[in-house]
């Protein structure tokens, strides 16, 4: 009896093996090594981002079953999701908190790689695709914010879509393209919905695919300080050791996410009124607060340019530098590398301080 | 010609605001300012439950530059809208109004309030308010009225059967100047309407458990979830130890 069962199992295994060749994948994962050091904890953030993304895809599909992307119905449909659809408010809350978790984890992931200088040769493209993923993630947050079509989301989108105007030559066109006209309106909502559920997911899966391919091809970098000393840190197999260790983090993250989603559910404001003045005291989501606070610090006019325009151009300039950081920081162990680390720390502290300042203000 | 098409909701009723104005006379920025002003006026003055006329007029510091009209199409007939035209000085047209099917009622209200014989501007207003749209479009009345000859082609849109016409002004506003002041006649219903509007604005959906059954079920689910997580974490820890042992042994 047992022998028969074993034979059947083997037979089934062969059937799958013949079609998928999964043994080759298992062998690859067993041979794939992960450096184990005090910095290993930062490696968990990568898979955590994918976990949050998966939760967002699932909850997003459920929400899309009931959401109606028109000015007249958007707010009402979200209201319906939260009040009539069974457990709809939890689904929406899970979607919101997984988005927040994803953006927070992307920030932590980027900062850890930034400070550990894991972008150094030959992983420049891995870093650049990572920056693209950060932008796409923020794009998800920005487009998704408008979809409930409440007062705050409309005001934030008006401000947000106005920002590209300061970009020379094509700024106005970008703003108009995003809005679908001169002002935020029905076309903006349709476009943002399309970006949120179609364009951005396609782009993010493409870039994630390329990012993961690069990680598999180049492997995970050794910590810089050990590499400079010529010490090779011990490595563990990706499968099953590292996956088991990561699984603990996933479990805790899922538990925390569900708990937070239940006890801190996302509310819904009154329907947006396109002709109403901007409500007082509006603030963007936490991940744009540093930019928001920076804009407030700048005076109205600096020489021949408006303060706001100058601030946005400076931020865009830093974003370009950030993208090309591996090419700029081409001597991570040298004096140039140390100066870049110092500047990086100053920027991170500045962003955190601005965010906290804006939150408590 | 430039047109706008905006939808909005006031006191639970949905409206489509369709504005048509001459882009030759009104630059884009001014147009936007005008729409804002008109909307402010619209929100402030629209009182479907009130039969009392409401007068609003700009302060003398606000200079009129041009006029434009907006067509308002309520999704459902608005019961009564009574509005007044105010001439601040005789040579200026400093007001706004809704042309509605209830014009007769408005006229009646005005007559009841005022025992004095109507002045020129009041007669003009009556004429305008009681005209049908086809006649207004001919511009005759406005151009015939001498003091208003500088404002030709005021009306450029046609009003639908259930609609009303909103006449607004392009104002040259001075900085930090509240351009409008209420001239009274704001009935109790209007106050009530405004309060309801304000309450409606603050309405925020705070999600939560719908009933005790849902609350208990979700709490039970949370307890079960954390128990499962605890058990799985224990199993994972054991598996990690086993994997480490096997790795050390070179298996």
């Amino acid at each position: 009896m047992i022998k028969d069962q074993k034979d059947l199992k083997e037979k089934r295994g062969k059937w799958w093996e013949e079609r998928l060749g999964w043994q080759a994948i298992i062998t690859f994962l067993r041979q794939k090594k992960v450096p184990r050091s005090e910095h290993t904890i930062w490696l968990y953030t990568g898979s955590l981002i994918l976990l949050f993304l998966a939760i967002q895809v699932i909850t997003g599909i459920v929400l899309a079953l009931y959401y109606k992307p028109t000015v007249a119905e958007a707010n009402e449909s979200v209201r319906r999701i939260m009040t009539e659809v069974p457990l709809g408010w939890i689904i929406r809350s899970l979607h919101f908190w997984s988005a927040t978790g994803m953006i927070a984890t992307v920030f932590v992931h980027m900062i850890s790689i930034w400070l550990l200088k894991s972008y150094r040769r030959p992983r420049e493209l891995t870093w650049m695709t990572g920056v693209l993923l950060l932008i796409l993630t923020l794009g998800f947050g920005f487009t998704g914010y408008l979809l409930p079509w409440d007062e705050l989301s409309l005001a934030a989108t008006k401000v947000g879509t106005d920002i590209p105007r300061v970009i020379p030559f094509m700024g106005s066109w970008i703003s108009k393209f995003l809005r679908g006209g001169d002002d935020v309106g029905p076309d903006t909502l349709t476009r943002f919905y399309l970006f949120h559920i179609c364009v951005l997911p396609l782009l993010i899966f493409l870039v994630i695919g390329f990012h993961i391919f690069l990680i598999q091809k180049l492997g995970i970098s050794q910590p810089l300080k050990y590499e400079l000393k010529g010490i090779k840190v011990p490595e563990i197999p990706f499968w099953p050791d590292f996956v088991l260790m990561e699984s603990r983090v996933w479990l805790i993250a899922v538990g925390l996410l569900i708990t937070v989603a239940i006890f801190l559910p996302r509310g819904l404001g009154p329907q947006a009124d396109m002709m109403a003045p901007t409500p007082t005291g509006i603030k963007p989501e936490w991940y744009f607060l540093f930019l928001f606070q920076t804009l407030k610090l700048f005076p109205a006019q600096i020489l021949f340019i408006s303060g706001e325009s100058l601030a946005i151009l400076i931020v865009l300039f830093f974003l370009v530098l950030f993208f090309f950081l591996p090419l700029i920081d081409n001597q991570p162990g040298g004096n140039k590398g140390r100066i870049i680390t110092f500047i990086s720390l100053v920027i991170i502290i500045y962003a955190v301080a601005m965010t906290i300042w804006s939150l408590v203000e | 010609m430039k047109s706008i098409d905006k939808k909005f909701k006031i006191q639970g009723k949905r409206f489509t605001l369709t504005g048509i104005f001459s882009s030759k006379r009104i630059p884009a920025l001014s147009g936007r300012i005008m729409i804002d002003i008109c909307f402010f006026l619209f929100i402030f003055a629209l009182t479907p439950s009130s039969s009392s006329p409401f007068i609003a007029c700009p302060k003398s510091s606000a200079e009129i530059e041009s006029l434009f009209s907006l067509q308002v199409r309520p999704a459902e007939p608005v019961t009564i809208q009574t509005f007044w035209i105010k001439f601040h000085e005789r040579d200026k047209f400093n007001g706004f109004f809704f042309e509605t099917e209830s014009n007769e009622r408005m006229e009646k209200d005005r007559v009841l309030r005022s025992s004095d014989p109507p002045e020129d501007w009041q007669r003009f207003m009556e004429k305008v308010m009681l005209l049908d749209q086809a006649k207004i479009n001919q511009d005759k009345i406005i151009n015939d009225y001498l003091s208003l000859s500088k404002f030709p082609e005021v009306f450029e849109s046609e009003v639908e059967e259930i609609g009303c016409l909103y006449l607004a002004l392009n104002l040259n506003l001075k900085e930090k100047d509240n351009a409008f002041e209420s001239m009274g006649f704001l009935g109790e219903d209007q106050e009530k309407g405004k309060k309801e509007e304000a309450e409606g604005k603050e309405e925020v959906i705070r999600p939560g458990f719908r009933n005790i059954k849902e609350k208990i079920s979700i709490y039970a689910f949370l307890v079960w979830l954390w128990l499962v997580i605890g058990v799985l974490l224990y199993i994972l820890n054991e598996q990690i130890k086993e994997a480490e042992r096997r790795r050390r042994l070179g298996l």
Side-chain angles (χ1 to χ4, degrees):
Chain A
M1 184 73 180
I2 293 168
K3 195 175 178 295
D4 286 348
Q5 278 182 345
K6 207 177 171 184
D7 286 346
L8 189 68
K9 206 176 171 183
E10 272 179 18
K11 221 174 176 181
R12 279 182 188 161
K14 273 184 186 172
W15 191 91
W16 283 107
E17 172 59 27
E18 202 178 353
R19 279 147 189 88
L20 300 175
W22 53 272
Q23 275 301 335
I25 299 168
I26 296 287
T27 310
F28 170 76
L29 292 175
R30 277 184 194 280
Q31 285 170 354
K32 181 178 155 65
K33 302 286 181 195
V34 177
R36 191 172 189 184
S37 68
E38 68 270 28
H39 301 305
T40 306
I41 189 170
W42 305 116
L43 300 180
Y44 301 144
T45 52
S47 64
L48 205 54
I49 293 166
L50 293 179
L51 175 75
F52 283 130
L53 181 63
I55 293 169
Q56 283 200 76
V57 170
I58 296 163
T59 52
I61 289 169
V62 178
L63 291 174
L65 295 176
Y66 299 96
Y67 178 73
K68 291 173 183 167
T70 62
V71 168
E73 294 174 306
N75 191 266
E76 193 57 40
S77 62
V78 177
R79 192 180 298 260
R80 198 176 140 232
I81 287 169
M82 291 166 65
T83 54
E84 290 175 31
V85 176
L87 301 179
W89 63 277
I90 296 183
I91 301 292
R92 180 166 179 254
S93 193
L94 275 173
H95 194 73
F96 167 75
W97 282 108
S98 61
T100 304
M102 182 174 163
I103 293 168
T105 319
V106 167
F107 275 126
V108 173
H109 188 68
M110 291 297 288
I111 290 170
S112 67
I113 289 163
W114 189 5
L115 295 179
L116 292 171
K117 295 180 185 279
S118 304
Y119 51 68
R120 62 190 184 275
R121 191 168 175 260
R123 296 181 178 80
E124 297 93 337
L125 283 177
T126 318
W127 168 264
M128 288 174 183
T129 51
V131 176
L132 285 180
L133 287 172
L134 171 70
I135 295 166
L136 287 172
T137 309
L138 293 177
F140 267 111
F142 183 57
T143 53
Y145 195 65
L146 179 70
L147 300 188
W149 196 250
D150 57 12
E151 276 181 349
L152 285 180
S153 66
L154 179 68
T157 307
K158 275 182 182 173
V159 175
T161 50
D162 215 32
I163 286 176
R165 280 181 195 275
V166 301
I167 301 170
F169 308 116
M170 56 191 301
S172 294
W173 181 85
I174 294 171
S175 177
K176 219 169 182 174
F177 172 73
L178 288 172
R179 289 176 168 182
D182 286 328
D183 210 348
V184 176
D187 290 343
T188 322
L189 182 65
T190 318
R191 286 182 184 212
F192 273 40
Y193 182 63
L194 183 75
F195 291 147
H196 194 74
I197 67 153
C198 187
V199 179
L200 288 174
L202 275 174
L203 286 175
I204 207 164
F205 283 117
L206 273 175
V207 182
I208 282 177
F210 187 51
H211 191 74
I212 291 174
F213 164 75
L214 289 170
I215 293 167
Q216 301 312 315
K217 184 168 168 52
L218 302 168
I220 295 165
S221 67
Q222 294 274 326
L224 180 65
K225 66 176 181 182
Y226 294 113
E227 197 177 86
L228 290 173
K229 289 174 190 169
I231 301 167
K232 191 167 166 52
V233 295
E235 290 179 324
I236 56 169
F238 182 78
W239 178 267
D241 299 48
F242 187 71
V243 173
L244 287 172
M245 288 158 76
E246 271 191 320
S247 305
R248 293 184 300 190
V249 180
W250 298 343
L251 277 174
I252 293 168
V254 169
L256 285 175
L257 178 69
I258 293 172
T259 310
V260 170
I262 289 170
F263 288 108
L264 295 170
R266 179 72 167 168
L268 175 69
Q271 172 149 340
D273 186 340
M274 284 183 285
M275 304 288 270
T278 307
T280 50
I282 61 152
K283 280 181 187 176
E285 283 291 281
W286 63 270
Y287 38 88
F288 289 123
L289 280 179
F290 78 96
L291 182 62
F292 175 71
Q293 198 66 16
T294 305
L295 292 178
K296 278 166 73 176
L297 285 179
F298 272 70
Q301 193 75 21
I302 300 170
L303 297 174
F304 55 91
I305 188 169
S306 80
E308 189 185 351
S309 303
L310 185 66
I312 290 165
L313 288 174
I314 290 171
V315 171
L316 284 175
F317 174 69
F318 272 100
L319 187 65
V320 173
L321 288 185
F322 193 60
F323 184 79
F324 292 109
L325 187 61
L327 306 179
I328 298 163
D329 189 11
N330 52 5
Q331 294 166 340
N335 278 337
K336 190 179 167 187
R338 274 191 282 275
I339 292 167
I340 289 172
T341 307
F342 176 74
I343 295 169
S344 304
L345 276 170
V346 169
I347 292 171
I348 292 165
I349 292 166
Y350 169 81
V352 173
M354 285 292 123
T355 306
I356 293 169
W357 184 8
S358 186
L359 281 171
V360 298
E361 199 174 45
Chain B
M1 296 289 282
K2 189 174 178 182
S3 70
I4 55 165
D5 191 358
K6 304 278 183 190
K7 286 181 181 171
F8 49 90
K9 201 172 168 183
I10 298 167
Q11 293 181 8
K13 290 183 179 177
R14 286 203 172 82
F15 291 85
T16 302
L17 185 67
T18 307
I20 302 174
F21 53 88
S22 167
S23 57
K24 284 177 191 167
R25 281 191 300 167
I26 304 165
L29 182 65
S30 306
R32 249 178 262 138
I33 293 169
M34 281 198 304
I35 291 164
D36 290 344
I37 293 166
C38 293
F39 191 73
F40 163 73
L41 288 172
F42 185 67
I43 290 280
F44 196 51
L46 186 70
T47 52
S49 57
S50 172
S51 60
S52 304
F54 168 69
I55 296 178
C57 75
K59 284 181 179 174
S60 52
S61 57
E63 292 170 16
I64 300 166
E65 287 187 339
S66 59
L67 299 169
F68 83 114
S69 62
L70 290 170
Q71 185 184 335
V72 181
R73 286 180 305 196
E76 54 191 274
V78 178
T79 49
I80 297 168
Q81 294 168 352
T82 48
F83 294 90
W84 208 252
I85 295 176
K86 169 77 177 173
F87 288 88
H88 193 67
E89 293 168 12
R90 293 212 169 181
D91 59 340
K92 284 184 179 176
F93 184 77
N94 287 357
F96 65 97
F97 73 93
F98 275 90
E99 171 77 1
T100 73
E101 292 169 302
S102 307
N103 286 338
E104 285 87 350
R105 184 157 183 175
M106 190 197 75
E107 187 203 2
K108 197 177 154 190
D109 287 340
R110 191 192 65 72
V111 172
L112 283 174
R113 255 200 337 278
S114 171
S115 56
D116 298 332
E119 292 182 30
D120 286 351
W121 66 267
Q122 287 171 322
R123 281 201 295 274
F124 162 76
M125 187 207 68
E126 283 169 21
K127 277 183 179 177
V128 171
M129 298 299 264
L130 294 171
L131 277 173
D132 63 38
Q133 186 59 42
K135 285 181 184 170
I136 291 173
N137 279 339
Q138 290 171 5
D139 300 331
K140 280 183 183 172
I141 296 298
I142 290 171
N143 289 330
D144 287 350
Y145 192 76
L146 292 174
S147 59
L148 290 168
S149 57
K150 63 171 79 168
F151 302 119
E153 300 174 65
V154 172
F155 303 101
E156 294 175 327
S157 61
E158 288 186 6
V159 175
E160 288 187 357
E161 200 177 331
I162 57 161
C164 47
L165 192 85
Y166 179 29
L167 176 65
L169 311 170
N170 180 19
L171 300 171
N172 181 16
L173 301 178
K174 287 177 182 171
E175 209 173 342
K176 291 179 183 174
D177 187 14
N178 181 13
F180 297 97
E181 59 187 359
S182 169
M183 297 297 285
F185 308 110
L186 195 64
E188 278 181 20
D189 289 346
Q190 282 174 311
E191 289 285 2
K192 193 181 162 189
K194 279 169 73 183
K195 274 181 193 169
E196 281 170 3
E197 179 72 21
E199 280 166 11
K201 286 264 178 197
E202 286 164 13
E203 192 189 343
V204 176
I205 296 279
R206 303 248 175 248
F209 306 107
R210 255 180 278 168
N211 49 48
I212 191 75
K213 192 181 165 192
E214 189 179 273
K215 192 175 182 177
I216 292 169
S217 309
I218 290 171
Y219 280 151
F221 167 75
L222 270 183
V223 171
W224 172 84
L225 177 78
W226 280 105
L227 276 173
V228 168
I229 288 173
V231 171
L232 286 174
L233 281 176
Y234 173 77
I235 294 168
L236 278 172
N237 275 337
E238 292 301 308
Q239 295 238 347
I240 289 165
K241 280 179 195 167
E242 176 63 16
E244 272 184 5
R245 192 184 66 81
R246 287 169 70 89
R247 197 176 66 247
R248 279 188 197 134
L249 291 171
L251 294 171

